[in-house]
Amino acid sequence: MKFINFIIKAIFVIVIILAVIFGFFVYSNANGDTKSNEKIEKEIDYLDTKIINLINKLNNINLENYKISVSTIQEEGESSGEGSSEGGGSSSEGSQGSGKQESSSKEGSSGSPGENEEEQSSENKQEVTITKMERELIVNNEGEINWDLIQGETEVLYSVWATIVLDLNSIGTDSNKIVEFSNTLDETLKSVQEKDKVGASENIAKLYSFLPEFLKNTEIEETKKNIIQTKSYILNAYSNMDAENLDGVRTEVQNAENTFTQIVNNINKENDQRKFNINKAYILIEEIKNSLSEEKSGIFYLKYKNLIEELNTLM
């Protein structure tokens, strides 16, 4: 009887131990998946920012309307009465000296006449630094493109991409999509080096189109996934505008509207604090759509800039 009780207790203890081990294993995997998703989300946010900044530079589009300007000026310092009287005494003594002394004084002075006065004047000046906000052009698509800056920013993507690849593989991302992104990054750098604006715009927009694919196997909220998909369509429209393909622009803007409509419909069913900004973004998409009848790139880029800024607030 004692032996049977011992066996029952032993089985009970073993079951408890196995349950604890199983629970710990499940918790560790869940915690690991959460951390993995958080890391990938940050990496996608990084790519989102870098890629959009790259394509914006092709038309000198600034998402900020103001820049900080720092300038330095010099102010005249106050000269004391004592300094003036000493100067007068020195002048008097000079006039009483011999002609030889005057000649020596002239030889000792160097540079242009009045240099000594300039040196004394500069000593009395004080440097003052002024910081102010200056309004910038939001869109300057006719300005010169800074290809060296764009190339440098493109090369930075190479340094982070290797790490991102490892994380994407860890969640089972389609390896073909990862390879395609790498190839597109090579094509982007090539078009930038060749200073091919249309090609660069097309390749940068294609780079961004992989982001929605990379998010498919993550647990990131559906609203954010749809926002990034919407931005991808808008960047495709931007690229088509650079290529002067208005039919392509209209198609991509319509795709953006269709995707974003899902967000609007879902957000109206929930008590989400982003409801105002989501509805505002939808209106901005409609404004882009309506502006295409003008067939003017400047109007499109301005409305594009406003929409991207609004979508960024939802990320």
Side-chain angles (χ1 to χ4, degrees), residues 38-52:
E38 288 177 353
K39 186 178 181 185
I40 288 175
E41 183 175 7
K42 290 179 180 178
E43 290 169 341
I44 296 299
D45 288 344
Y46 174 82
L47 290 176
D48 165 84
T49 301
K50 296 295 288 186
I51 293 173
I52 289 178

Side-chain angles (χ1 to χ4, degrees), residues 139-152:
V139 179
N140 186 18
N141 56 313
E142 295 181 357
E144 184 177 350
I145 300 174
N146 190 339
W147 289 108
D148 290 337
L149 177 60
I150 296 175
Q151 180 174 334

Side-chain angles (χ1 to χ4, degrees), residues 177-195:
K177 296 298 180 182
I178 295 175
V179 172
E180 285 180 37
F181 184 95
S182 298
N183 293 337
T184 304
L185 184 57
D186 292 339
E187 290 300 316
T188 300
L189 182 59
K190 181 180 177 181
S191 57
V192 169
Q193 289 173 335
E194 294 174 352
K195 299 182 179 180

Side-chain angles (χ1 to χ4, degrees), residues 186-216:
D186 292 339
E187 290 300 316
T188 300
L189 182 59
K190 181 180 177 181
S191 57
V192 169
Q193 289 173 335
E194 294 174 352
K195 299 182 179 180
D196 176 7
K197 180 181 177 181
V198 174
S201 182
E202 179 182 350
N203 285 316
I204 295 172
K206 187 176 179 181
L207 276 180
Y208 194 94
S209 70
F210 289 101
L211 301 193
E213 296 290 332
F214 295 156
L215 290 175
K216 283 184 177 179

